[in-house]
């Protein structure tokens, strides 16, 4: 796992195109349980519910801004998959968010975290996120093993799901602390990078002689 992640003394690279504006989170995922203990514990007990609530807070309770995973995963989707703006979100955004949070908890939580496009994660964050992603793959393996060895497969699956819930609770606690003490995103747009306002240059009329 350590070969896939930056070393502890290396700074994680900022998002592409935002190198000059990248700032660190108020707390890393490793310190999130200590600095936001209650939120981390509550999120661990019911991660899908916490994922749904944190997205609503991120949108300032304005569900008209909601899109499926806020469009961050559109480039990884094929034409047959759900894409932002094509999942009937406008007619029932709360119901769509609930389905997203319970059926695609990992993608939903990652999309909420991506809203802070100008915030730079540290090496610890990358390590835990990669470990969590690997855990989800291993859960599928454990389900297959459970067919032949019920005891071993079931125990491995439970351990992996507990680890995923712990990391998810840390992510919710990190986002919660950023919303309360940091600089929340002014707008949450569809896509990985927030839309930038372009100011038009004034038209200079030629001088008449």
């Amino acid at each position: 796992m350590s070969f896939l992640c930056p070393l502890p003394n290396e700074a994680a690279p900022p998002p592409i195109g935002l190198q000059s504006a990248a700032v660190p989170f108020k707390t890393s995922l490793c310190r999130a349980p200590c600095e936001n203990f209650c939120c981390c514990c509550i999120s661990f007990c019911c991660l899908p519910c916490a994922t749904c609530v944190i997205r609503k807070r991120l949108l300032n309770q304005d569900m008209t801004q909601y899109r499926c995973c806020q469009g961050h995963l559109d480039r990884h989707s094929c034409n047959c998959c759900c894409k932002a703006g094509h999942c009937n979100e406008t007619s029932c955004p709360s119901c769509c968010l609930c389905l997203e949070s319970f059926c695609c908890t990992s993608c939903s939580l990652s999309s909420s975290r991506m809203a802070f496009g100008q915030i730079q994660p540290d090496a610890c964050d990358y390590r835990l996120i990669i470990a969590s992603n690997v855990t989800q793959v291993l859960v599928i393996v454990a389900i297959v093993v459970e067919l032949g060895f019920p005891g071993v497969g079931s125990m491995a699956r439970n351990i992996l799901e507990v680890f995923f819930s712990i990391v998810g609770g840390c992510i919710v606690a990190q986002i919660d602390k950023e919303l309360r003490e940091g600089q929340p995103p002014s707008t949450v747009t569809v896509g990985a990078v927030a839309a930038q306002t372009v100011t038009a240059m004034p038209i200079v009329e030629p001088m008449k002689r």
Side-chain angles (χ1 to χ4, degrees):
M1 190 70 64
S2 61
F3 291 102
L4 302 176
C5 309
L7 296 176
N9 58 349
E10 293 180 349
I16 298 175
L18 297 172
Q19 286 84 351
S20 60
V23 295
F25 276 98
K26 290 296 180 182
T27 181
S28 66
L29 293 180
C30 292
R31 295 189 57 84
C34 298
E35 299 189 11
N36 201 357
F37 179 75
C38 292
C39 180
C40 188
C41 289
I42 295 173
S43 302
F44 168 78
C45 294
C46 188
L47 186 57
C49 295
T51 302
C52 183
V53 171
I54 204 69
R55 176 71 67 81
K56 282 190 173 182
R57 289 183 54 197
L58 194 64
L59 298 174
N60 293 321
Q61 307 297 328
D62 182 10
M63 294 303 293
T64 59
Q65 298 186 49
Y66 169 74
R67 298 294 183 274
C68 180
C69 292
Q70 296 306 125
H72 291 291
L73 303 181
D74 282 1
R75 60 180 180 178
H76 303 295
S77 303
C78 58
N79 293 331
C80 61
C81 296
C82 297
K83 289 189 177 182
H86 297 81
C87 303
N88 205 26
E89 300 103 315
T90 55
S91 61
C92 191
S94 297
C95 181
C96 292
L97 175 58
C98 183
L99 290 175
E100 176 191 318
S101 301
F102 278 84
C103 299
C104 306
T105 306
S106 177
C107 296
S108 180
L109 194 56
S110 298
S111 301
S112 296
R113 194 172 183 273
M114 289 178 188
F116 299 93
Q118 297 184 351
I119 293 186
Q120 174 185 355
D122 64 3
C124 171
D125 291 11
Y126 279 119
R127 278 190 166 87
L128 288 177
I129 291 173
I130 291 177
S132 177
N133 293 338
V134 173
T135 297
Q136 296 173 67
V137 177
L138 294 178
V139 167
I140 301 176
V141 177
I143 293 175
V144 176
V145 173
E146 190 175 358
L147 298 177
F149 304 92
V152 177
S154 178
M155 181 179 64
R157 182 181 176 183
N158 292 335
I159 293 174
L160 293 171
E161 289 181 350
V162 167
F163 178 80
F164 170 73
S165 297
I166 291 174
V167 176
C170 293
I171 294 177
V172 174
Q174 184 185 56
I175 297 175
D176 174 73
K177 187 175 179 64
E178 196 67 33
L179 290 175
R180 289 188 292 106
E181 301 181 9
Q183 182 66 31
S186 55
T187 56
V188 180
T189 57
V190 176
V193 181
Q196 298 179 352
T197 303
V198 179
T199 304
M201 295 296 293
I203 300 175
V204 179
E205 295 182 355
M207 295 179 61
K208 296 180 180 180
R209 295 185 178 180

